[in-house]
Amino acid sequence: MSPGERARGERANEYDASCARCGGPVPAGAGLLRHGARAWEVYHPEHAPDPGPPPPGDHPGWHRRRLLSLDIGSTGHRPAVDRIRSAALRGSDGTAHDWILDPGSDIPSAEEGSDAVEAIGSDIQQATGSNIPDIGSNLPQPLPPRPALDELATLVAAHLAAGELLVVWFAPHVLSTLHAELLRHDLAPLTARVPAGVAPVCDPLVLDRHVDRYRPGSRSLRSVAEWYGVPHVRPGDPGSDAEAALLLARTVAARHPALARLSRPALHTEQIIWYAEQTSRHPDAPAWPFAPVEPLPWEPPPEG
């Protein structure tokens, strides 16, 4: 393998194998790995196809049903403390809802707020830039949090009650923060609005890490969207992030028939298992899809 290939983070074969293209022997460390239909395949470097996800198929699955995607912009990464500044819903049927919230005069302005969702270790890195949208003068004035959050929760609960998948990129941050915010404003949380439980949830980050476990590089929403060729016009804006997450959920399933064939309840259950495996080295990783945290008073994030 050439130095250039190593520099790009190419993964070499650990054991002697045969080239998936020509059938010739490939000594350990001399070939390149690529995804096959059911497992990794080994190639001579000159025979390896360009890195990339497998091609999409025309198979049925949950990705062809109605999906609703949720994203928020918050003041930081502490679900019990930080506040939701903005939120968005995007549906596969064209549904689009956006909210800009006024978190209160005691909260720093958006320009002063936290600019990223903290990762739980590099294995679940979430954001490379701000997750707070730039509020321009041409956008609506911020709304009081209580009615906006109630409207948001009502729409989400109705979708979940119908048994349809709610798409949430890094669900533990989004859903835990939403849970605390609803309680903070004396509103019923999703756990009370959906008696059967906050499910089924589809987290494209968990899916991508499951189907492409060893891919090097960032797993931010921006990077994963780029890998799959999914448009992501304005990273950090909840509307753009929700749309990108929705498209990612559909394209990952379209490229992995075994994943798409799972029932919606089974997909939810499997993600609990996959996420536990993905975060096994991070005992402080938040629960998936969320933790029912109690709201705490606002306090500035620690310096540094």
Side-chain angles (χ1 to χ4, degrees), residues 19-192:
C19 178
R21 180 175 176 182
C22 71
V26 184
L32 296 178
L33 292 181
R34 292 288 185 267
H35 282 296
R38 297 181 180 274
W40 291 96
E41 295 177 342
V42 179
Y43 293 85
H44 289 117
E46 63 273 18
H47 293 164
D50 290 337
D58 194 29
H59 48 272
W62 52 261
H63 60 300
R64 296 184 179 275
R65 298 183 62 93
R66 182 175 184 267
L67 302 177
L68 185 68
S69 182
L70 164 67
D71 195 70
I72 64 170
S74 65
T75 58
H77 59 267
R78 305 163 298 172
V81 175
D82 284 296
R83 310 301 167 83
I84 295 177
R85 292 191 178 280
S86 52
L89 291 175
R90 294 291 185 269
S92 55
D93 60 355
T95 298
H97 297 277
D98 296 272
W99 297 267
I100 297 176
L101 283 63
D102 180 1
S105 58
D106 58 330
I107 310 298
S109 65
E111 290 75 15
E112 299 169 353
S114 172
D115 67 353
V117 177
E118 180 176 313
I120 306 299
S122 61
D123 281 349
I124 51 174
Q125 177 68 35
Q126 292 307 303
T128 56
S130 173
N131 73 321
I132 302 170
D134 180 20
I135 301 176
S137 59
N138 61 325
L139 295 178
Q141 291 299 310
L143 302 169
R146 195 172 193 278
L149 290 168
D150 190 42
E151 181 182 20
L152 168 62
T154 298
L155 292 169
V156 170
H159 183 78
L160 290 173
E164 301 295 352
L165 282 164
L166 177 69
V167 177
V168 192
W169 177 268
F170 193 36
H173 167 70
V174 175
L175 295 181
S176 299
T177 304
L178 177 60
H179 181 88
E181 279 280 64
L182 291 170
L183 293 179
R184 179 175 289 113
H185 294 283
D186 296 319
L187 294 167
L190 293 179
T191 49

Side-chain angles (χ1 to χ4, degrees), residues 216-228:
S218 170
R219 297 290 176 132
S220 69
L221 177 56
R222 184 198 305 243
S223 297
V224 176
E226 182 179 359
W227 174 257
Y228 285 98

Side-chain angles (χ1 to χ4, degrees), residues 157-286:
H159 183 78
L160 290 173
E164 301 295 352
L165 282 164
L166 177 69
V167 177
V168 192
W169 177 268
F170 193 36
H173 167 70
V174 175
L175 295 181
S176 299
T177 304
L178 177 60
H179 181 88
E181 279 280 64
L182 291 170
L183 293 179
R184 179 175 289 113
H185 294 283
D186 296 319
L187 294 167
L190 293 179
T191 49
R193 297 174 189 245
V194 190
V198 183
V201 173
C202 171
D203 190 333
L205 177 62
V206 176
L207 301 188
D208 177 56
R209 284 204 169 276
H210 174 69
V211 300
D212 204 352
R213 178 179 178 182
Y214 298 108
R215 187 176 78 247
S218 170
R219 297 290 176 132
S220 69
L221 177 56
R222 184 198 305 243
S223 297
V224 176
E226 182 179 359
W227 174 257
Y228 285 98
V230 167
H232 193 195
V233 178
R234 193 182 178 195
D237 172 72
S240 180
D241 289 353
E243 181 70 22
L246 176 68
L247 294 174
L248 270 174
R250 300 180 75 178
T251 194
V252 172
R255 295 169 186 272
H256 297 277
L259 184 70
R261 283 196 295 266
L262 292 171
S263 68
R264 286 157 287 154
L267 178 67
H268 183 96
T269 300
E270 290 293 336
Q271 286 174 98
I272 296 174
I273 299 171
W274 299 337
Y275 178 81
E277 294 171 347
Q278 294 162 11
T279 59
S280 61
R281 297 184 181 181
H282 304 282
D284 57 344

